[in-house]
Amino acid sequence: MKTIIAACSQNLSGSRASVQAALRTLLAVPWPSQRDIRVALQLLAVLQWVLSFLLLGTVSLVVLIYLLFTSFWLIPALYLAWIIFDWDTPERGGRRLPCLRRWTVWKHFRDYFPVKLVKTHDLSPRHNYIIGSHPHGILCVGAFCNFITGSTGFEEMFPGIHSFLTTLAGNFRLPLFREYLMSGGLFPVTRRAIGHLLSHNGTGNAVAIVIGGAAESLSCRPGVTTLVLRNRKGFVRVALRHGAFLVPSFSFGENDLFRQVVFEEGSWMRSIQRRFQKMVGIAPCVFYGRGLTSSRSWGFLPYARPVTTVVGEPVVVPKVQNPSQELVDMYHEMYIQALLKLFNDNKTKYGLSETDELHII
């Protein structure tokens, strides 16, 4: 018996020693600094945003289709009925939740790059505006951060102005993803939706449109400043019909956030991209960024590069119910000249050289 007690005592002593050694080792490990925590929060903020925009719609659709063939079939059936009932809501003002605009996560998102908003001229709350956002880039980081989140202070910088952002109408046909977009204040880039925002909410509304769209994203790469704009005139016609002033904006650094494999015009891969884009509306870009654990690894997170969105001087537009093509062409050219002036006046301030030019096709 004494032998057994002695053995147990020895084991207990050994266990206590092991626990104490483990505690000493744990305490010796350096705790993460405030900077480490801040960097981690920024990475998580960007990660959730990228995953939401790249996967939420597709994954939700696949899950709902799968559930149709299980004992939970009633869930997707009811949701499908709800979508049919709620089909036109995105074009009739959506369901924006103002509290989402003030989420702390967007401040971490902003600081990751960082994203900055620069004001060059006042916007009077007595008018409505259509803001042209350039360039598209891969995921429109500048447009989203400045015109959807409150992290860069748009409404404080432009008192009395409420900003909205439009995106591909097809995104609002994807289950759950449509709810996510509407709650954040995004709307379909359709004449009906834009017209509702400009005519049913009084004045002081600024609707941001990424005019180059998916076609422009195919040419996105660092050091390239080519915009698809020459034949994009629908936004000018809508502005004339509602008397909304046209405001150019340019996000310097947007094209530096990802690396893209750009296929030459005329190649079979470029042809496939063009056809897919015309059929679906989304350009199948072959791009990569940094990994989650290291900036030197490959992944799908954007690189941490500064993005500065400069909002230019508004082009005064009259209200014309049925504008002629000549009038549309005239104000379209005025908008292009205002955009070129904005780019040339600010390019050397935000990372470009004096010789860099803005190419508009």
Side-chain angles (χ1 to χ4, degrees):
M1 179 63 70
K2 291 182 180 180
T3 304
I4 295 174
I5 294 174
C8 290
S9 300
Q10 186 175 0
N11 288 337
L12 288 173
S13 299
S15 299
R16 283 197 297 270
S18 299
V19 170
Q20 291 173 353
L23 288 174
R24 282 195 298 269
T25 303
L26 180 63
L27 293 173
V29 174
W31 289 90
S33 64
Q34 289 186 348
R35 181 183 180 280
D36 294 333
I37 295 174
R38 187 167 60 249
V39 169
L41 290 174
Q42 292 170 5
L43 276 171
L44 290 175
V46 174
L47 176 64
Q48 66 82 26
W49 180 80
V50 171
L51 291 178
S52 297
F53 274 86
L54 292 182
L55 298 178
L56 180 59
T58 304
V59 171
S60 299
L61 180 61
V62 171
V63 170
L64 287 177
I65 292 175
Y66 169 76
L67 289 177
L68 278 173
F69 300 95
T70 68
S71 58
F72 299 100
W73 63 269
L74 188 59
I75 296 175
L78 290 174
Y79 185 71
L80 178 60
W82 162 252
I83 287 182
I84 294 173
F85 173 78
D86 196 54
W87 192 260
D88 292 331
T89 297
E91 295 188 328
R92 295 194 308 236
R95 283 189 295 273
R96 185 176 186 174
L97 298 178
C99 61
L100 297 186
R101 187 181 180 91
R102 299 187 294 270
W103 268 7
T104 304
V105 68
W106 302 130
K107 294 181 180 179
H108 297 305
F109 179 88
R110 172 201 65 194
D111 294 339
Y112 170 82
F113 299 95
V115 180
K116 182 181 178 183
L117 180 66
V118 175
K119 167 185 172 181
T120 62
H121 292 79
D122 291 330
L123 299 181
S124 171
R126 295 193 299 271
H127 303 287
N128 285 326
Y129 303 90
I130 289 180
I131 300 178
S133 179
H134 311 275
H136 183 284
I138 297 294
L139 293 178
C140 304
V141 168
F144 177 85
C145 192
N146 288 297
F147 303 128
I148 286 298
T149 79
S151 61
T152 57
F154 181 92
E155 294 189 353
E156 290 77 20
M157 202 173 291
F158 299 97
I161 304 296
H162 305 287
S163 61
F164 306 91
L165 179 63
T166 58
T167 185
L168 189 67
N171 288 330
F172 294 88
R173 306 307 177 221
L174 294 172
L176 297 185
F177 191 44
R178 69 191 296 272
E179 322 299 341
Y180 176 80
L181 294 177
M182 283 193 290
S183 66
L186 285 96
F187 297 86
V189 61
T190 62
R191 291 183 180 180
R192 183 182 177 188
I194 297 171
H196 186 281
L197 294 172
L198 295 175
S199 61
H200 287 73
N201 297 313
T203 59
N205 303 295
V207 181
I209 304 175
V210 187
I211 297 170
E216 191 172 279
S217 65
L218 292 175
S219 300
C220 166
R221 53 182 169 177
V224 175
T225 49
T226 300
L227 304 182
V228 177
L229 177 60
R230 189 64 63 183
N231 295 317
R232 301 287 176 100
K233 300 180 181 181
F235 73 101
V236 178
R237 189 177 297 278
V238 172
L240 284 164
R241 285 177 176 171
H242 295 277
F245 292 5
L246 292 169
V247 182
S249 72
F250 195 92
S251 294
F252 293 92
E254 182 74 45
N255 286 349
D256 298 331
L257 303 181
F258 292 95
R259 302 291 183 268
Q260 181 179 189
V261 180
V262 178
F263 301 101
E264 297 297 328
E265 291 290 346
S267 65
W268 65 275
M269 278 298 298
R270 189 69 161 194
S271 177
I272 292 175
Q273 287 179 314
R274 293 290 188 194
R275 289 183 182 181
F276 189 90
Q277 179 231 321
K278 288 181 180 179
M279 289 189 298
V280 182
I282 300 174
C285 300
V286 182
F287 68 91
Y288 65 91
R290 59 156 291 176
L292 181 62
T293 58
S294 171
S295 60
R296 296 183 179 87
S297 60
W298 286 18
F300 53 86
L301 293 180
Y303 291 105
R305 303 285 188 271
V307 177
T308 304
T309 301
V310 184
V311 180
E313 182 178 6
V315 176
V316 178
V317 175
K319 187 174 183 179
V320 182
Q321 187 61 38
N322 294 300
S324 64
Q325 188 59 48
E326 292 76 15
L327 192 63
V328 171
D329 292 342
M330 182 182 77
Y331 279 97
H332 183 262
E333 184 60 31
M334 291 173 64
Y335 175 83
I336 288 178
Q337 294 306 314
L339 177 61
L340 288 170
K341 182 179 185 301
L342 175 71
F343 177 83
N344 291 323
D345 289 349
N346 293 276
K347 60 184 179 181
T348 57
K349 300 177 185 177
Y350 305 112
L352 299 180
S353 67
E354 191 64 45
T355 58
D356 285 323
E357 296 182 356
L358 186 62
H359 302 283
I360 297 178
I361 58 176

